Amino acid sequence: MAFDIKPKFATFDMNGTLIKFSINDTMREILGDRLPAEVADEYLRICKAYRIDECTGAYQPFHQIVARSMERASRKVGLEYREDEARAVYERVPTWGPYPGVTEALNRLAEAVPLVIITNSDTEHAVRLAENLKAPFEVIISAEEMGVYKPRLSAFEYMFDKLGVTPDEIVHVSASPMYDHRPAAIMGIENKVYVDRGFEHDEHWLGYERITDIADLPVLFGLPRP
């Protein structure tokens, strides 16, 4: 199935959708033996929940989101929190690369529609991660620029204003119903693509096209398979 509109932009979440968001592996590596096997899974689970919680409050730089979530998770499982470890996790973020096939799919799609990133990264990290994708982006919108994080609705309002579009003039692509597709639906974005990476549940009632292979993305925009 292809979208029946000619969108002005295809807008993308980046971390976890295009970039493999390897924060759990990074925390395991940096904490090492200080993260006992019996609490590791719970620590990582609650750390993710605390990151979401921190994103919904007053804006703070992403390094503070990482630090506060690790601090709160450490307290929850009885682990000593160390600031230098949180900083090391944050500093590793720009080294992460794309999922397989992403660069090819993005360059293919760019033949049909301008590409935009809206990400919860800081500006410096957003630019560096976008460079790792090796694809042409017209605009990169960071949380630092917006002064707010997704899933806050004002993030999408900022994007509409920045791009000069209405909700029906874009297609939004994300692997996260929680951070992206729920607020996108609320804000009236009907044309959405859920890239199912397996780390969130399918919320099909949000009205998106679901794909599991990024190579299918250009096809949704009416491009033939290469």
Side-chain angles (χ1 to χ4, degrees):
M1 176 181 175
F3 291 111
D4 58 3
I5 67 163
K6 172 65 175 175
K8 289 187 175 179
F9 298 98
T11 59
F12 288 85
D13 170 62
M14 183 162 57
N15 296 326
T17 300
L18 305 176
I19 292 287
K20 188 174 183 182
F21 193 64
S22 304
I23 196 164
N24 283 354
D25 291 341
T26 300
M27 285 192 288
R28 285 183 188 272
E29 180 181 341
I30 288 173
L31 270 63
D33 293 341
R34 291 208 326 106
L35 185 62
E38 60 270 20
V39 301
D41 288 347
E42 174 63 8
Y43 174 86
L44 296 174
R45 183 192 70 81
I46 198 68
C47 200
K48 177 180 179 180
Y50 282 137
R51 280 198 305 276
I52 297 169
D53 190 55
E54 292 290 332
C55 282
T56 58
Y59 176 78
Q60 53 187 322
F62 191 66
H63 71 85
Q64 292 182 12
I65 297 283
V66 173
R68 286 284 296 135
S69 61
M70 289 178 65
E71 181 181 18
R72 294 170 71 183
S74 296
R75 189 182 313 124
K76 184 78 171 176
V77 302
L79 191 71
E80 178 193 0
Y81 168 70
R82 296 180 182 175
E83 185 73 34
D84 62 318
E85 291 174 338
R87 172 60 67 170
V89 170
Y90 171 77
E91 290 177 348
R92 191 78 61 86
V93 173
T95 68
W96 298 339
Y99 285 99
V102 162
T103 297
E104 295 79 5
L106 290 175
N107 279 280
R108 181 84 173 114
L109 184 57
E111 299 171 11
V113 62
L115 310 182
V116 172
I117 284 172
I118 175 169
T119 176
N120 278 358
S121 297
D122 294 340
T123 300
E124 180 183 356
H125 279 193
V127 170
R128 291 170 65 184
L129 287 165
E131 290 173 351
N132 296 348
L133 293 170
K134 295 181 170 57
F137 290 96
E138 298 287 323
V139 181
I140 300 171
I141 303 171
S142 70
E144 181 179 357
E145 175 185 340
M146 296 187 290
V148 69
Y149 289 93
K150 298 175 296 178
R152 297 289 299 276
L153 299 181
S154 52
F156 288 87
E157 291 171 330
Y158 184 98
M159 181 178 71
F160 297 151
D161 289 343
K162 173 92 172 181
L163 299 179
V165 297
T166 55
D168 60 340
E169 292 177 322
I170 65 171
V171 174
H172 188 63
V173 184
S174 176
S176 176
M178 185 184 312
Y179 276 102
D180 281 79
H181 290 308
R182 292 180 198 170
I186 291 169
M187 296 305 296
I189 301 175
E190 294 186 1
N191 297 295
K192 302 180 290 296
V193 181
Y194 171 43
V195 185
D196 190 348
R197 298 288 186 192
F199 56 77
E200 289 191 27
H201 296 296
D202 183 4
E203 299 183 13
H204 57 86
W205 54 86
L206 293 173
Y208 45 59
E209 294 291 329
R210 175 182 171 271
I211 61 174
T212 57
D213 184 350
I214 197 71
D216 291 333
L217 183 60
V219 179
L220 291 176
F221 287 78
L223 292 171
R225 290 186 177 276

